[in-house]
Amino acid sequence: SMQLKRLLYLACTLFLTEKSQSQILLVATLQKDLQSNTELEVVAALTTLCKIVNASIIEAVMEPVYKLLNHKSSLVKKKAVMVVHRFYIINPALSDDIDGKMKKALCDNCHLYTSEAADDTPCVDL
């Protein structure tokens, strides 16, 4: 169930250290949840990943996280941006074209407060 998964993710963020070998076991579950069709599972995985990511697991989760920067949900995109930012803090050399990816994810067609676009105006740099 989703409640149990969220509880386990919370326990992982609280008790696993950055150098813990158990993190490697968690990566497979994170990869699966990052590709889930359920928005809550994706958000839970991204939230956990943001808190536990380290240099040894970035490569394993980088591609699915980058794909989530284009997700239809603004919440998923926001969490993905947070994780990519952590990637950049840990290893700046891994991030190719990070400016373009982040700008595209954060812009969201500049319609921040409405669910529908009033017109097709392009994004404006802030």
Side-chain angles (χ1 to χ4, degrees):
S1 85
M2 191 58 214
Q3 289 178 333
L4 179 60
K5 186 173 285 199
R6 289 180 63 194
L7 181 63
L8 291 173
Y9 276 151
L10 177 62
C12 289
T13 61
L14 293 174
F15 298 116
L16 291 181
T17 63
E18 192 171 303
K19 295 179 175 34
S20 174
Q21 293 296 324
S22 300
Q23 273 192 343
I24 296 168
L25 300 172
L26 182 61
V27 170
T29 302
L30 287 168
Q31 288 173 324
K32 184 179 101 192
D33 287 347
L34 288 172
Q35 297 172 2
S36 173
N37 292 330
T38 307
E39 185 177 332
L40 289 176
E41 286 184 356
V42 175
V43 169
L46 288 168
T47 302
T48 302
L49 193 55
C50 192
K51 293 179 182 179
I52 67 160
V53 70
N54 62 38
S56 64
I57 63 172
I58 286 177
E59 291 287 338
V61 295
M62 189 168 45
E63 185 179 333
V65 171
Y66 280 167
K67 286 180 183 176
L68 291 172
L69 291 172
N70 298 317
H71 197 273
K72 63 183 178 187
S73 166
S74 60
L75 179 60
V76 171
K77 283 195 271 190
K78 179 179 93 169
K79 296 290 183 177
V81 165
M82 291 170 56
V83 174
V84 171
H85 181 251
R86 288 280 294 145
F87 290 170
Y88 182 74
I89 289 171
I90 293 168
N91 189 351
L94 286 176
S95 304
D96 59 328
D97 187 34
I98 192 165
D99 288 338
K101 290 176 184 175
M102 297 290 259
K103 187 181 285 187
K104 185 177 178 187
L106 290 172
C107 189
D108 201 18
N109 293 330
C110 296
H111 302 288
L112 300 175
Y113 301 106
T114 62
S115 59
E116 297 180 359
D119 55 14
D120 291 330
T121 55
C123 295
V124 178
D125 288 340
L126 298 177

